[in-house]
């Protein structure tokens, strides 16, 4: 950071920033203190909002509540004259008409839906068919020039079905990619995108519990329901006809049918691996039930004083699952932590910024997105249909799940090592007497599982924090136990509810950190970048004309 910018930040910090020290060293928490947070989360997590599911009465109540609160603060509509950005979605329930059939030279195997495979299509058609599509094992299905890796090198997959592995080669060989830290190339969503770019008719991922970080039951459950996708002008005809998964047991049967060893899966992790035609044909028919509708992102703007055409985004998803299967008589999935907490924090941060005596030099966009729980769709739509230019967007600071576990000695930066925003968080945390850490299991690809990721995909440096584990009062073992209890008992369940007895002290400290990082960015003239080795660096460099 330039010396002048550093001076401006420190001077402003001493005067006005919540969580920063004044000249006497006393902490000034008057701007971020949890009062607005507790007021808003009590509403957002209440039964009256019915679980905040897109397309429901709960959506209308939630989005209008947010827009009213933004307006009361004096924030401008973030999309022209509107606080809303319509997000066109299509709901597709794909159901196989029969089995997934693999036909070899001398034999045929048939796989059973849900037990052995799952499959769906993004194509907005009543019925799609894959008929005798030649199958190719394409390793990890990755094209990553920065790592010298191309599983599709010399391969024409038009009309074919590619079979690929989950995760990336670094999972098995720490010298490749980022080692155990999963890159985006390891995510299942990338595998489908790349296969479509290559012109494949079908794409099948081989499930493996450890590199996937979840069991087959998660795949089965998720793919047994209808799926929401963004509407596209081409009705998603540019995507593969069929996308799906097979179990490891089914994959081994496929390799046996093809007359090749399943050691191919290990070989795929070695440099120089070449795709292998399996001389097996795949066939499946999918019948689809289709429904189109619109949801809404909510956005409000605080214009900057000097560099108003440069933007810092604070994002949080407002949606949850609405009403569902009753558990102990409760059918409302309130989503208090996930993510009424992040949405309430967004409102408290907005309130704090509007209360500053010295307004930010850059503009601040407060963006509450829809359909995160359905696949990060609201943030995907904004990132690909931005209201404000991507190359003028300085950073995204995403808020997703703040927990009432009290103050922590640490804070988790998910994807630590990706961007220069790490250093911003490090410095603020140090002022708080805390340390930052990366997520404990980076092989799970957690960086790619919340809304900040869609901003990263278009090159915008993005930061996402999680609660730390080392409780100031109770220690690390207690902190880990609280996280486990939430994940086991309340995550995506009706029991994720708000109580006025919540300990907000840790949430307040996290909000102060996010506030300080955003305010510092708003006083600077430079843009934070991606670090060397990040898969998003080339995208940002291109958008910035480098």
């Amino acid at each position: 950071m330039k010396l002048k910018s550093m001076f401006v930040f420190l001077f402003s910090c001493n005067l006005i920033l919540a969580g920063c020290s004044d000249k006497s060293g006393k902490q000034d928490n008057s701007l971020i203190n949890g009062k607005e947070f507790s007021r808003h989360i009590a509403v957002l997590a209440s039964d009256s909002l019915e679980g905040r599911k897109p397309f429901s009465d709960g959506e209308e109540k939630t989005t209008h509540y947010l827009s009213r609160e933004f307006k009361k603060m004096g924030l401008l509509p973030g999309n022209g004259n509107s606080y809303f950005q319509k997000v066109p979605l299509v709901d597709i329930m794909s159901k196989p008409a029969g089995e997934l059939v693999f036909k070899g030279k001398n034999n045929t195997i048939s796989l059973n839906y849900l037990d052995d495979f799952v499959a769906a299509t993004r194509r907005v058609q009543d019925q799609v068919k894959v008929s005798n599509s030649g199958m190719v094992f394409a390793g990890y299905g990755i094209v990553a020039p920065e790592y010298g890796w191309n599983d599709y090198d010399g391969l024409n997959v038009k009309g074919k079905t590619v079979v690929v592995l989950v995760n990336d080669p670094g999972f098995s060989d720490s010298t490749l990619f980022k080692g155990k830290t999963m890159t985006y190339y390891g995510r299942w969503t990338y595998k489908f995108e790349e296969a479509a770019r290559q012109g494949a008719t079908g794409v099948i991922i081989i499930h493996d519990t450890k590199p996937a970080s979840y069991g087959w039951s998660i795949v089965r459950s998720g793919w047994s329901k209808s799926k929401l996708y963004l509407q596209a002008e081409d009705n998603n005809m540019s995507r593969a006809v069929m996308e799906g998964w097979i179990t490891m047991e089914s994959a081994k049967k496929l390799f046996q049918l093809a007359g090749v060893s399943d050691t191919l899966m290990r070989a795929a992790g070695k440099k120089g691996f070449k795709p292998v035609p399996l001389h097996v044909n795949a066939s499946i028919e999918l019948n689809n039930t289709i429904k189109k509708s619109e949801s809404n992102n909510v956005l409000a703007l605080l214009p900057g004083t000097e560099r108003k055409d440069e933007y810092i985004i604070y994002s949080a998803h407002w949606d949850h699952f609405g009403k569902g299967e009753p558990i102990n008589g409760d059918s409302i999935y309130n989503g208090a932590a996930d993510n009424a907490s992040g949405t309430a924090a967004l409102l408290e941060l907005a309130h704090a910024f509007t209360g500053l005596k010295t307004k930010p030099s850059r503009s601040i966009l407060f963006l509450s997105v829809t359909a995160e729980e359905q696949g990060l769709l609201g943030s995907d739509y904004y990132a690909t249909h931005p209201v404000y230019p991507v190359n003028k967007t300085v950073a995204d600071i995403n808020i997703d799940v703040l927990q009432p576990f009290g103050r922590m000695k640490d804070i988790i930066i998910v994807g630590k090592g990706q961007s220069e925003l790490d250093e911003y968080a490090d410095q603020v945390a140090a002022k708080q007497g805390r340390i930052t850490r990366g997520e404990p299991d980076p092989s799970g690809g957690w960086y790619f599982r919340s809304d900040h990721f869609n901003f990263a995909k278009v090159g915008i440096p993005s930061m996402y924090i999680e609660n730390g584990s080392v409780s100031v009062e109770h220690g690390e073992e207690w902190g880990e136990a609280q996280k486990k209890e939430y994940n086991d008992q309340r995550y995506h369940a009706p029991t994720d509810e708000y109580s006025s007895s919540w300990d907000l002290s840790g949430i307040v400290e996290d909000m102060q950190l996010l506030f300080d990082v955003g305010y510092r960015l708003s006083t600077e003239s430079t843009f934070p970048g991606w670090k060397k080795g990040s898969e998003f660096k080339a995208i940002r460099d291109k958008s910035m004309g480098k």
Side-chain angles (χ1 to χ4, degrees), residues 5 39 70 240 294 323 333 335 391 412:
S5 296
R39 178 170 73 87
F70 284 139
E294 287 181 331
K323 296 179 179 179
Y333 288 63
N391 65 352
I412 305 300

Side-chain angles (χ1 to χ4, degrees), residues 23-58:
K23 291 181 180 179
S24 67
K26 185 180 179 181
Q27 294 290 321
D28 174 15
N29 294 328
S30 61
L31 296 175
I32 302 285
N33 53 33
K35 290 180 181 178
E36 291 295 303
F37 177 92
S38 58
R39 178 170 73 87
H40 293 304
I41 195 172
V43 176
L44 293 165
S46 68
D47 284 355
S48 65
L49 266 59
E50 304 175 25
R52 308 187 308 280
K53 186 175 182 178
F55 309 147
S56 70
D57 290 341

Side-chain angles (χ1 to χ4, degrees), residues 18-293:
C20 293
S21 299
D22 62 19
K23 291 181 180 179
S24 67
K26 185 180 179 181
Q27 294 290 321
D28 174 15
N29 294 328
S30 61
L31 296 175
I32 302 285
N33 53 33
K35 290 180 181 178
E36 291 295 303
F37 177 92
S38 58
R39 178 170 73 87
H40 293 304
I41 195 172
V43 176
L44 293 165
S46 68
D47 284 355
S48 65
L49 266 59
E50 304 175 25
R52 308 187 308 280
K53 186 175 182 178
F55 309 147
S56 70
D57 290 341
E59 163 165 2
E60 185 173 355
K61 293 174 183 177
T62 302
T63 56
H64 281 86
Y65 177 80
L66 294 174
S67 65
R68 286 195 306 271
E69 291 299 319
F70 284 139
K71 187 175 182 179
K72 282 195 292 187
M73 294 178 204
L75 293 169
L76 299 181
N79 187 17
N81 294 321
S82 177
Y83 288 97
F84 302 107
Q85 181 188 40
K86 291 188 179 300
V87 180
L89 300 172
V90 57
D91 184 275
I92 304 177
M93 178 64 205
S94 294
K95 191 168 183 181
E99 299 167 322
L100 172 60
V101 178
F102 297 153
K103 185 176 181 181
K105 289 183 179 178
N106 302 312
N107 205 352
T108 298
I109 60 174
S110 299
L111 303 183
N112 294 317
Y113 179 53
L114 298 182
D115 291 333
D116 304 319
F117 82 96
V118 294
T121 187
R122 294 172 187 257
R123 295 191 173 195
V124 186
Q125 295 179 296
D126 292 335
Q127 184 183 77
V128 297
K129 291 182 181 181
V130 174
S131 300
N132 293 313
S133 172
M135 302 184 75
V136 180
F137 177 62
Y140 283 91
I142 291 172
V143 179
E146 68 271 37
Y147 296 112
W149 199 277
N150 187 350
D151 284 319
Y152 287 97
D153 188 28
L155 181 63
N156 182 354
V157 296
K158 284 185 169 58
K160 294 183 171 60
T161 294
V162 293
V163 180
V164 298
L165 301 171
V166 72
N167 214 306
D168 63 45
F171 183 81
S172 300
D173 184 343
S174 62
T175 67
L176 298 174
F177 287 64
K178 292 185 177 179
K180 289 289 186 183
T181 299
M182 184 195 286
T183 66
Y184 180 54
Y185 298 113
R187 284 288 284 158
W188 59 271
T189 48
Y190 167 81
K191 314 287 183 178
F192 293 157
E193 291 165 358
E194 190 58 51
R197 282 191 287 269
Q198 298 292 330
T201 290
V203 51
I204 296 172
I205 298 173
I206 298 171
H207 175 262
D208 191 356
T209 296
K210 286 187 177 180
S213 80
Y214 43 80
W216 179 254
S217 62
I218 299 297
V219 179
R220 174 180 176 138
S221 173
W223 285 66
S224 65
K225 306 177 181 70
S226 66
K227 289 183 171 290
L228 274 176
Y229 306 105
L230 292 176
Q231 291 184 35
E233 289 185 7
D234 70 345
N235 280 327
N236 291 326
M237 297 300 288
S238 59
R239 298 300 295 246
V241 176
M242 180 269 292
E243 301 172 347
W245 294 68
I246 57 174
T247 63
M248 178 59 72
E249 183 181 357
S250 299
K252 290 179 178 179
K253 290 179 181 178
L254 169 61
F255 289 134
Q256 185 177 13
L257 179 67
V260 297
S261 172
D262 58 24
T263 58
L264 271 179
M265 291 184 281
R266 287 199 299 273
K270 307 294 183 183
K271 274 203 166 185
F273 174 80
K274 299 296 182 184
V276 178
L278 298 177
H279 305 293
V280 172
N281 293 334
S283 298
I284 191 171
E285 179 179 317
L286 297 171
N287 296 319
N288 304 311
T289 302
I290 298 166
K291 177 185 176 183
K292 291 184 177 181
S293 191

Side-chain angles (χ1 to χ4, degrees), residues 262-512:
D262 58 24
T263 58
L264 271 179
M265 291 184 281
R266 287 199 299 273
K270 307 294 183 183
K271 274 203 166 185
F273 174 80
K274 299 296 182 184
V276 178
L278 298 177
H279 305 293
V280 172
N281 293 334
S283 298
I284 191 171
E285 179 179 317
L286 297 171
N287 296 319
N288 304 311
T289 302
I290 298 166
K291 177 185 176 183
K292 291 184 177 181
S293 191
E294 287 181 331
S295 187
N296 284 282
N297 292 331
V298 186
L299 55 173
L301 185 71
L302 178 64
T305 57
E306 297 176 17
R307 308 177 71 87
K308 61 177 59 180
D309 63 341
E310 296 174 358
Y311 305 88
I312 294 136
I313 297 176
Y314 281 97
S315 60
H317 74 90
W318 59 257
D319 67 294
H320 201 54
F321 290 103
K323 296 179 179 179
E325 181 182 4
I327 297 178
N328 295 325
D330 189 355
S331 63
I332 297 178
Y333 288 63
N334 304 80
D338 186 14
N339 187 36
S341 68
T343 309
L346 190 73
L347 290 167
E348 173 137 354
L349 288 164
H351 182 265
F353 272 100
T354 58
L356 289 172
K357 294 178 182 178
T358 303
K359 295 296 189 285
S361 175
R362 285 168 160 160
S363 296
I364 312 289
L365 180 67
F366 301 96
L367 175 62
S368 190
V369 294
T370 184
E372 188 271 354
E373 302 290 4
Q374 303 294 329
L376 318 182
L377 299 180
S379 57
D380 188 359
Y381 188 80
Y382 180 89
T384 53
H385 301 79
V387 177
Y388 305 98
V390 166
N391 65 352
K392 292 290 187 180
T393 302
V394 178
D396 171 60
I397 300 171
N398 188 54
I399 317 167
D400 191 358
V401 183
L402 299 175
Q403 295 284 17
F405 302 153
R407 295 180 59 232
M408 296 288 170
K409 295 180 180 180
D410 60 335
I411 190 165
I412 305 300
I413 300 178
V414 180
K416 188 172 173 64
Q418 282 277 11
S419 83
E420 293 169 357
L421 292 174
D422 292 352
E423 283 67 48
Y424 289 70
D426 289 345
Q427 291 179 22
V428 178
K431 287 189 305 178
Q432 296 178 329
R434 298 202 286 170
I435 62 168
T436 66
R437 298 189 294 135
E439 67 269 38
D441 179 21
S443 66
W446 306 106
Y447 188 77
F448 315 114
R449 299 189 184 188
S450 191
D451 288 304
H452 63 283
F453 168 56
N454 282 318
F455 297 97
K457 279 177 72 175
V458 297
I460 299 169
S462 305
M463 186 176 78
Y464 167 42
I465 65 165
E466 284 186 355
N467 286 81
S469 300
V470 186
S471 168
V472 170
E473 185 176 356
H474 304 290
E476 185 171 11
E477 185 176 346
W478 181 90
E480 290 289 354
Q482 301 312 299
K483 288 186 174 184
K484 185 177 187 304
E485 187 276 335
Y486 173 79
N487 289 330
D488 291 349
Q489 303 297 327
R490 293 183 285 126
Y491 177 64
H492 288 183
T495 46
D496 184 5
E497 295 184 301
Y498 172 67
S499 167
S500 59
S501 65
W502 272 22
D503 180 351
L504 301 184
S505 59
I507 291 174
V508 166
E509 203 162 40
D510 288 351
M511 288 192 294
Q512 290 173 352

Side-chain angles (χ1 to χ4, degrees), residues 518-536:
Y519 189 86
R520 174 180 166 184
L521 288 166
S522 78
T523 66
E524 295 179 342
S525 60
T526 54
F527 282 66
W530 296 101
K531 293 184 178 179
K532 185 179 179 181
S534 171
E535 55 268 46
F536 309 112

